[in-house]
Amino acid sequence: MKKTWFITGASQGLGLEFITQLLQAGHNVAATSRTLAGLEKAAGVHPNLLSLEVDLINEDSVATAINSTVIKFGTIDVVVNNAGYGQLGALEELTDAEARKNFDVNVFGALNVIRAVMPQLRKQGSGHIINIASIAGLTGNFPGWGIYCATKFAMAGFTESLAAEAADFGIKVTLVLPGYFRTNFLEDSSLGLPQNPIDAYTTVRQSQNAHTAEINGNQAGDPVKGVAAVIETVEAGNAPLYLFLGADAVGMAEQKITLLNSETEANRALSIGTGF
């Protein structure tokens, strides 16, 4: 069945791949990016494609984009909060401004979209919100990625709450946690580096170098297959709360589950002995 998809961060990476596959399948797509020229250059022109220049941290800009989508297509069936960027740097290294900027885009940008689109989805009594997080939203064992992990942990938290809040209105919610996919995420256009690196953080510098020089371009995840898996999930009417993408993501999730089980059991007596 033909659906209308609203996708943020659509000029590159997974977002651009969503446009390609959805248009090929005959769906309507409203796609957003920071610059209209860049989006149109990347995605081209198509009668079922509405390209929108949107500042995600500006509520009016987001609301205008949602309204434009409804005016053109009449409905919004699936929302993909895909926009975001990586921020490297130890917690001590990153300035308040660097940390807040990452939260503004990765967290508050998605919240702005959710607030703007929920009235339309409630009115319809249907819809599916897909929040693209990262396996770094479940495990923070990545030296130098603490702020980025925090933004994705935040997304995981509000996605769980949103799923509980939206269920009464027939709205589905899914958190997608990809591992390493071969996109431009680790390139300069999508990755912030610390403005004030501290030499003492050798482990962080090793992690930084590994990601920018070794992992970049060699990620095991295929973006085409990853996007296809999300679309397949939506088309099947399936709405898992957590959807892991990639063998690495599944492996890290299992490690985190094992750690939680182990520490819960190791400290059970101490934990449950705190009641009156």
Side-chain angles (χ1 to χ4, degrees), residues 45 85 114-115 163 185 190 198 213 273:
V45 178
Y85 72 96
I114 290 167
R115 276 195 302 273
F185 178 74
S190 297
I198 299 172

Side-chain angles (χ1 to χ4, degrees), residues 178-193:
Y180 289 100
F181 275 77
R182 201 169 299 178
T183 68
N184 60 342
F185 178 74
L186 295 177
E187 297 175 5
D188 293 343
S189 60
S190 297
L191 182 63
L193 300 180

Side-chain angles (χ1 to χ4, degrees), residues 43-116:
V45 178
H46 190 283
N48 292 350
L49 174 63
L50 175 62
S51 295
L52 298 162
E53 181 171 306
V54 177
D55 179 1
L56 289 176
I57 62 175
N58 182 305
E59 290 183 282
D60 291 338
S61 179
V62 174
T64 297
I66 295 295
N67 291 336
S68 297
T69 302
V70 175
I71 289 171
K72 181 172 179 61
F73 297 123
T75 185
I76 297 178
D77 301 298
V78 186
V79 177
V80 182
N81 277 312
N82 171 70
Y85 72 96
Q87 178 62 62
L88 266 165
L91 295 178
E92 181 185 353
E93 292 178 319
L94 294 179
T95 64
D96 180 74
E98 287 173 297
R100 288 179 184 273
K101 182 180 178 181
N102 204 212
F103 269 86
D104 278 343
V105 175
N106 292 7
V107 178
F108 293 106
L111 289 173
N112 286 342
V113 171
I114 290 167
R115 276 195 302 273

Side-chain angles (χ1 to χ4, degrees), residues 166-186:
D168 289 344
F169 307 107
I171 301 167
K172 303 173 183 177
V173 180
T174 296
L175 181 75
V176 178
L177 300 100
Y180 289 100
F181 275 77
R182 201 169 299 178
T183 68
N184 60 342
F185 178 74
L186 295 177

